[in-house]
Amino acid sequence: MIQNVVISVSEIIICFYLLIHRILPFTLPTKRYRILFFLLITLATLSSLGNAFFVYLYSHFITNNTFSFYKSCTVGLNNVYLSIHFALAYWFATNFVQNVREQSKAELQKSILEKSILEAELSSLKNQINPHFFYNSLNFLYAQALPVSRRLSDSVMLLSEMMRYTIKENDAEGKVPLEQEVKYIQNYFAIQQMQFGENLQLQIDIIGNINYRRIHPLTLSPFIENALKNGDLSSAEQPIKVLIETQENDLFLTIIYLRKKGIKESEVYDDLIEIRRKLYIVYFNNHVVKFEHSENIHKIFLKLSL
């Protein structure tokens, strides 16, 4: 009697394993019900014959008990029947739990994205305080400053060009020519250079063709501004280095700078994490941002699919 229980339990375990890991994953997700039915019939047949075979061996060579082929096949069918019930219950339960988890995760991600978009829209509305008024006012100031000081008028002109870039209408995808984004950064550097003079140690290099490529406006500038905010501007040994490089449809931005004394590392990364969060709203997974540091040297790496 014990040997029959051992054979049945072993048979149920084997059938359960085959159903969970082989048969059901192959048939149910793809709705191959005919193949499922054929495999179940095959499994039941093999299980019945296997049960009869092992019971016959045990009865004939060990106990010399009477062997019933019909009874052994019936037991084998019952084992398959139980295995199918257990396997289906386990399969649907695990898939239900997995679907609930995936749905909850998707809803959470959707909620975070919607909140981020709302924050971006609110921030945009706050910044749109009649920008054309400022742009026209800067042009007026430029005309007034031109007879007085060439340096002052050039500064006003640079600010005017930067303002015009920020209020310029974008294309249907919300993008602008990449060369305009680079020009905005160069104007920003020029104004900083006028302000700090020789105290601003800055090196910018552009590799590749920036023409005929488009980018969302003000994508690169936050990283530049972060470097000038937290970097040591006057270090001749370690100037702020900015490299903008294009390769086919990818853009690479690399910034290396020496952290300013008194600036905590956590403050730098808090700003960069916020910049990366806003970048995700626009480019989703089409970008890679990496932060590295060694002692007081910080390195920012951005890869962007244009």
Side-chain angles (χ1 to χ4, degrees):
M1 188 69 179
I2 296 177
Q3 70 278 8
N4 292 335
V5 174
V6 173
I7 294 173
S8 295
V9 171
S10 301
E11 190 175 15
I12 291 174
I13 292 174
I14 294 173
C15 292
F16 181 82
Y17 175 83
L18 291 174
L19 286 165
I20 290 298
H21 296 284
R22 295 292 183 268
I23 297 177
L24 296 183
F26 175 72
T27 57
L28 285 184
T30 55
K31 298 181 179 180
R32 300 176 179 177
Y33 300 124
R34 293 183 180 179
I35 298 178
L36 174 62
F37 179 76
F38 172 77
L39 292 176
L40 291 179
I41 295 298
T42 303
L43 182 64
T45 303
L46 294 176
S47 178
S48 300
L49 295 177
N51 186 279
F53 176 73
F54 285 110
V55 171
Y56 169 76
L57 291 178
Y58 190 85
S59 301
H60 184 73
F61 293 102
I62 299 177
T63 62
N64 294 323
N65 292 334
T66 303
F67 168 72
S68 174
F69 179 79
Y70 175 78
K71 182 178 180 181
S72 299
C73 289
T74 302
V75 172
L77 289 174
N78 289 334
N79 293 337
V80 174
Y81 181 77
L82 290 174
S83 300
I84 293 174
H85 277 72
F86 291 150
L88 288 174
Y90 178 83
W91 170 267
F92 286 111
T94 53
N95 276 270
F96 175 78
V97 173
Q98 183 178 358
N99 290 335
V100 170
R101 290 179 178 176
E102 291 179 353
Q103 184 176 0
S104 300
K105 183 179 179 180
E107 290 178 353
L108 178 61
Q109 292 178 343
K110 180 180 179 181
S111 175
I112 294 174
L113 181 59
E114 289 177 349
K115 183 178 179 181
S116 299
I117 294 175
L118 179 60
E119 291 177 355
E121 291 176 350
L122 292 175
S123 177
S124 177
L125 289 175
K126 291 179 180 179
N127 293 331
Q128 292 178 0
I129 306 176
N130 199 0
H132 290 281
F133 165 76
F134 289 108
Y135 174 63
N136 294 330
S137 298
L138 287 172
N139 287 334
F140 169 76
L141 293 175
Y142 168 76
Q144 296 297 314
L146 188 59
V148 179
S149 170
R150 183 68 183 182
R151 182 182 179 87
L152 176 60
S153 60
D154 288 345
S155 300
V156 175
M157 177 56 66
L158 289 174
L159 285 174
S160 177
E161 291 182 0
M162 294 176 66
M163 175 63 71
R164 181 173 58 183
Y165 174 71
T166 59
I167 65 176
K168 186 177 181 180
E169 293 185 1
N170 309 325
D171 61 12
E173 296 180 352
K175 294 183 178 182
V176 296
L178 177 58
E179 59 265 29
Q180 292 185 9
E181 176 80 1
V182 174
K183 181 63 177 178
Y184 176 86
I185 294 174
Q186 291 173 333
N187 289 339
Y188 177 78
F189 284 154
I191 291 178
Q192 296 295 326
Q193 198 75 58
M194 289 181 179
Q195 179 179 357
F196 294 101
E198 296 181 355
N199 291 326
L200 176 59
Q201 299 295 325
L202 178 67
Q203 176 182 336
I204 178 171
D205 296 306
I206 300 174
I207 301 177
N209 185 8
I210 62 174
N211 299 320
Y212 313 111
R213 290 175 169 83
R214 306 189 74 79
I215 189 174
H216 286 279
L218 304 178
T219 296
L220 305 181
S221 56
F223 294 97
I224 308 293
E225 294 170 3
N226 174 268
L228 267 65
K229 171 186 175 183
N230 300 302
D232 186 348
L233 307 181
S234 60
S235 176
E237 295 79 12
Q238 185 61 53
I240 298 177
K241 298 180 180 179
V242 178
L243 173 62
I244 300 174
E245 182 178 2
T246 58
Q247 295 180 9
E248 297 181 354
N249 293 326
D250 293 328
L251 180 142
F252 300 89
L253 172 67
T254 305
I255 304 175
I256 303 175
Y257 66 91
L258 176 66
R259 189 172 79 241
K260 186 187 303 181
K261 293 182 179 179
I263 299 293
K264 297 181 180 179
E265 186 177 319
S266 59
E267 296 178 9
V268 178
Y269 283 103
D270 287 344
D271 291 342
L272 291 173
I273 289 173
E274 180 64 19
I275 294 172
R276 183 171 61 179
R277 186 186 69 83
K278 293 180 179 179
L279 185 63
Y280 176 80
I281 297 175
V282 180
Y283 280 97
F284 299 98
N285 295 323
N286 296 323
H287 72 283
V288 176
V289 180
K290 294 182 180 180
F291 312 140
E292 299 178 1
H293 74 278
S294 176
E295 295 181 355
N296 292 329
I297 303 297
H298 284 254
K299 181 176 181 180
I300 304 171
F301 175 80
L302 167 67
K303 177 183 177 182
L304 200 64
S305 296
L306 301 177

